[in-house]
Amino acid sequence: MHYTISGQGPIVILIHGLFGDLDNLKALGKELETAFTVVRVDVPNHGASPRISQMNYLTLADDMTKLITDLCGQYGNQKVTLVGHSMGGKIAMATALQHPDIVNKLVVADIAPVSYHSRHDNVFAALESMPLEKINDRRQALTHMQNAGIDDGTAQFLLKSLTRTSNGFEWKLNLQGLKNSYPDIIAWPNFDSAYQGPCLFIRGGDSDYVTAAHRDAIMSQFPQVTAKTIAGTGHWLHAQKASIFNRIVKNFILE
């Protein structure tokens, strides 16, 4: 996986969500790099990481484990802390459940260890229908997204993955690979044992991604969990109330 490193100290790896890239948690990285070695990754099929036809949480956890092993060898650390938002939270949880010996602490932002119903069909349709060869600027791209029924905030987020080339525009995302993998991205595999390390779940008060119905699934797989809710935020809690989110994460890691 493509990644960037900043700061120094114990290793903290930041993992973005679906359709994002390593810049999504950049503000958190800035907050943490005064005390930690911060690694921000591009998940496969996002950003500058390799494009693959299929991805699921077992293989993504294996990829993350290889990265962790390499980083720990370079920096002399034994364990790392994982912080993930949405899909990135699932990758972090899967890694901790498969390889608890290399994960010191776990922070999961607005996602639960459960399977979800499809909720991105309109996003895929909007991205796939973007007339990349015809648009001249981002304003036209934004208009296309709005006309496709995507709200402004989500559209602006998605358009961060639109890049200009010498031949026009293209997506940094591997849309076909993500679409092929989407059933696995919204699913959740079964694991044989629980992660016994310290774990923090942070949810947005206005989000429906983590609800009371998910409590048993969380507690059975992550029994040492602490939960926080940030009022007045939705699924993008790390952007909507960044200072509060960053402080909660940093305080938990420093405990």
Side-chain angles (χ1 to χ4, degrees):
M1 285 181 284
H2 174 251
Y3 61 89
T4 64
I5 295 181
S6 61
Q8 59 182 6
I11 298 173
V12 179
I13 300 179
L14 309 183
I15 315 170
H16 65 80
L18 182 62
F19 303 120
D21 63 22
L22 56 74
D23 282 342
N24 287 177
L25 295 170
K26 189 173 183 178
L28 175 60
K30 289 289 186 183
E31 181 75 22
L32 296 176
E33 65 185 15
T34 56
F36 300 96
T37 297
V38 177
V39 181
R40 293 183 287 118
V41 303
D42 280 331
V43 174
N45 286 329
H46 298 78
S49 279
R51 297 187 169 210
I52 56 178
S53 59
Q54 288 288 151
M55 51 192 277
N56 62 65
Y57 292 113
L58 298 181
T59 59
L60 290 169
D62 285 341
D63 290 342
M64 187 60 61
T65 299
K66 292 173 184 175
L67 174 61
I68 293 170
T69 301
D70 182 52
L71 290 170
C72 287
Q74 291 183 51
Y75 288 87
N77 289 262
Q78 298 300 313
K79 292 185 177 183
V80 303
T81 293
L82 298 178
V83 181
H85 170 248
S86 196
M87 177 191 70
K90 281 192 163 184
I91 297 171
M93 289 188 285
T95 304
L97 288 166
Q98 284 203 140
H99 301 282
D101 54 309
I102 59 174
V103 178
N104 181 44
K105 288 185 177 182
L106 183 66
V107 180
V108 180
D110 212 55
I111 201 74
V114 299
S115 295
Y116 286 84
H117 296 297
S118 174
R119 59 173 76 197
H120 295 97
D121 293 349
N122 62 330
V123 172
F124 278 112
L127 295 175
E128 289 182 310
S129 62
M130 178 72 72
L132 296 171
E133 70 285 352
K134 295 181 179 179
I135 60 172
N136 297 313
D137 52 41
R138 291 182 175 275
R139 178 184 54 80
Q140 292 179 332
L142 177 60
T143 298
H144 169 84
M145 299 297 284
Q146 292 168 332
N147 290 340
I150 307 300
D151 67 86
D152 282 1
T154 302
Q156 295 284 4
F157 163 72
L158 293 167
L159 290 178
K160 290 180 180 179
S161 290
L162 186 67
T163 183
R164 187 188 292 273
T165 71
S166 57
N167 298 318
F169 285 91
E170 65 179 30
W171 293 112
K172 291 189 286 184
L173 301 164
N174 178 14
L175 285 179
Q176 191 58 54
L178 292 177
K179 193 170 183 179
N180 293 344
S181 305
Y182 189 67
D184 288 317
I185 291 172
I186 61 175
W188 184 244
N190 293 319
F191 292 92
D192 295 331
S193 59
Y195 173 67
Q196 300 294 339
C199 179
L200 172 64
F201 275 67
I202 312 173
R203 64 177 294 272
D206 298 332
S207 172
D208 63 352
Y209 274 78
V210 182
T211 68
H214 299 138
R215 176 181 172 84
D216 289 346
I218 294 171
M219 291 296 298
S220 64
Q221 296 172 79
F222 303 95
Q224 304 303 318
V225 66
T226 299
K228 298 281 187 181
T229 296
I230 301 180
T233 62
H235 189 54
W236 309 104
L237 67 175
H238 59 87
Q240 292 170 312
K241 292 197 175 179
S243 60
I244 296 174
F245 177 83
N246 295 347
R247 185 175 69 249
I248 290 172
V249 173
K250 187 173 184 178
N251 287 345
F252 173 75
I253 299 175
L254 284 171
E255 288 177 355

